[in-house]
Amino acid sequence: MRHASEAIGLQSLLGDPAILLAGIFLTATLAWALIWLLQPIAHYFGLLDHPKGGRKDHARPTPVTGGLGIALALLAMFLLVPLPMTWGKGAYLLGGGLLIVVGLLDDRYDLRWWWRILAQVVAALLMVYLGGVRIEQLGPAFGMDDLSLGVLSVPFTVFATVGLINAINMIDGVDGIAGTLVAAALLMLTAAALYAGNEGVALVSAAILGATLGFLLHNFPMPRRPRARVFLGNAGSAFLGFSIAWIVFRLTQNAGHPVNPVLALWLVPVPVLDCLVLIVRRVRHGRSPFAADRNHVHHLMRDAGFSTVQLVLTLAGFSLLGGLLVGQAMRLDVPNPLLLGLFVAAWAGWCALTLRRRRACAMFAALHRGLFGGWEWTRPAHESIDLADEDEEPSFGGKRG
């Protein structure tokens, strides 16, 4: 009876779109205020990203407490809204809290990469064993009724979680990009959860969406503030990546309210494709998968003439359009293996295109002329164009992207 009454309460809460929008607005306001209040604290404790290295383009030390503000705003919402605390939500908060703490330590002291990976693995295991959230069934992705992972369920869940966390971290290379792509994904995940009838996940996803929008008010370039005031930091990118993983697994592995795993891939296409392609290229050249360089999609677009705002909006538009089209294709009963094959084809095509940097930049330059041909944009003096081919690829250090 208790679970039935809780479900009825959630349905009544989310039945009115105005209530859901009010919740998003409240969480956004909380996140904006908390991130603003954390700025002097960030300076006091040295939680700053300093403008050094070939991939940095901010002019002054910038606080990296955006992720902490998002997490605190979400925690406040959990305390303010009278909803039941389940093992799944508890595991999410514990895992997310661990990633925030380790991420802040990394932002302050530049930890070795394996400390970050260890924290991500522990967070994933908390989600699996404490929260009961894991990937167990992949059948729908291949058009099959049953394709259970069995004993591979836990390692596959850990691998997917760590992969999503690092995909979000790696895409966070220019102002506004990670937050905007995460917000686009969360918007579509909230819609998918509501469509599937999973009100609990929809509410959590909407709350994280609101907190991310509050962060973007500090991070997205504005006409009178062309530079971000605050960055996500490694803490923030890890927390948002973990959040998306938790939501996706809750949606795709729920027998009562299922969402196809293929749709989940198309809701975060840019970070996932960019991460997979770069890992393959780095390993192919005998480099660490976590090595930093300037071959992310946003670097290529910048060198092809896109401004920061133009490339962020273009990539967000691609994500939203891809998710919408694939969602509609599923409603029209397009075979799921075909949609999965399209994603694999997109990965293979992006691999082939970016084998030569000049070729990729030329494609993006043509796209820029087609989308923004009439817009004037002057490249700031400190930004340099790098059209080096893959075999001439320079290696850069730094923490962002």
Side-chain angles (χ1 to χ4, degrees):
M1 290 294 294
R2 181 185 175 189
H3 291 292
S5 62
E6 290 169 355
I8 293 172
L10 280 175
Q11 289 174 355
S12 61
L13 180 65
L14 297 175
D16 184 358
I19 295 178
L20 189 61
L21 291 174
I24 293 174
F25 177 78
L26 176 59
T27 314
T29 304
L30 273 172
W32 177 87
L34 287 167
I35 292 170
W36 183 75
L37 291 171
L38 285 169
Q39 290 182 70
I41 298 174
H43 283 274
Y44 181 81
F45 286 102
L47 292 168
L48 304 169
D49 192 328
H50 295 274
K52 60 182 179 181
R55 299 177 309 114
K56 309 273 185 169
D57 61 8
H58 51 290
R60 64 186 66 179
T62 303
V64 290
T65 46
L68 178 59
I70 290 173
L72 290 176
L74 189 62
L75 179 61
M77 282 299 294
F78 272 108
L79 295 175
L80 291 173
V81 178
L83 293 175
M85 179 56 68
T86 63
W87 283 107
K89 292 190 184 77
Y92 165 67
L93 291 176
L94 283 175
L98 172 65
L99 294 174
I100 287 290
V101 170
V102 174
L104 288 173
L105 290 173
D106 182 41
D107 288 323
R108 177 63 180 86
Y109 299 107
D110 198 14
L111 303 178
R112 299 291 296 271
W113 64 268
W114 50 267
W115 280 110
R116 298 196 302 271
I117 298 299
L118 177 61
Q120 293 162 18
V121 170
V122 172
L125 291 174
L126 284 171
M127 178 173 62
V128 170
Y129 288 113
L130 184 62
V133 178
R134 66 175 70 185
I135 304 173
E136 296 182 290
Q137 183 60 250
L138 292 178
F142 298 95
M144 303 166 60
D145 292 331
D146 181 67
L147 183 58
S148 176
L149 289 174
V151 295
L152 297 177
S153 173
V154 173
F156 191 87
T157 302
V158 171
F159 176 79
T161 303
V162 172
L164 270 171
I165 289 172
N166 284 280
I168 300 301
N169 177 268
M170 291 169 70
I171 202 68
D172 187 22
V174 297
D175 293 346
I177 187 170
T180 302
L181 291 176
V182 167
L186 289 169
L187 176 63
M188 293 185 287
L189 286 168
T190 302
L194 290 172
Y195 182 79
N198 198 327
E199 289 85 3
V201 174
L203 187 60
V204 175
S205 180
I208 304 171
L209 169 61
T212 305
L213 293 175
F215 160 74
L216 282 172
L217 293 176
H218 293 281
N219 183 254
F220 196 88
M222 302 289 183
R224 295 188 178 182
R225 196 204 69 230
R227 299 292 182 187
R229 280 198 298 251
V230 176
F231 293 153
L232 269 178
N234 286 325
S237 60
F239 180 77
L240 289 180
F242 181 69
S243 299
I244 290 180
W246 185 85
I247 294 169
V248 165
F249 302 161
R250 285 290 307 273
L251 286 177
T252 60
Q253 303 302 306
N254 188 323
H257 309 282
V259 172
N260 195 284
V262 176
L263 178 61
L265 283 175
W266 282 103
L267 299 186
V268 283
V270 175
V272 172
L273 289 173
D274 187 62
C275 178
L276 290 175
V277 168
L278 282 177
I279 286 176
V280 169
R281 291 176 63 190
R282 289 167 182 172
V283 171
R284 172 174 169 259
H285 284 80
R287 302 175 58 202
S288 166
F290 303 102
D293 58 42
R294 294 194 71 259
N295 287 298
H296 290 278
V297 62
H298 47 272
H299 293 133
L300 299 176
M301 294 177 75
R302 284 281 284 270
D303 288 346
F306 282 80
S307 71
T308 298
V309 173
Q310 289 171 351
L311 74 87
V312 170
L313 294 180
T314 300
L315 293 175
F318 172 79
S319 295
L320 290 168
L321 181 62
L324 178 62
L325 291 178
V326 171
Q328 291 303 310
M330 288 183 171
R331 292 186 63 188
L332 296 174
D333 294 325
V334 174
N336 293 322
L338 176 60
L339 299 176
L340 178 61
L342 287 175
F343 192 87
V344 175
W347 171 81
W350 184 237
C351 276
L353 179 67
T354 55
L355 283 176
R356 288 289 178 265
R357 207 174 199 280
R358 291 180 182 275
R359 182 169 56 195
C361 286
M363 185 276 291
F364 278 124
L367 178 63
H368 180 263
R369 288 193 297 271
L371 292 176
F372 307 104
W375 289 29
E376 291 292 332
W377 179 67
T378 303
R379 182 180 298 274
H382 68 274
E383 292 182 16
S384 61
I385 298 179
D386 179 12
L387 297 180
D389 282 339
E390 167 70 16
D391 295 335
E392 304 166 356
E393 177 185 333
S395 176
F396 295 91
K399 294 177 72 70
R400 297 188 71 201

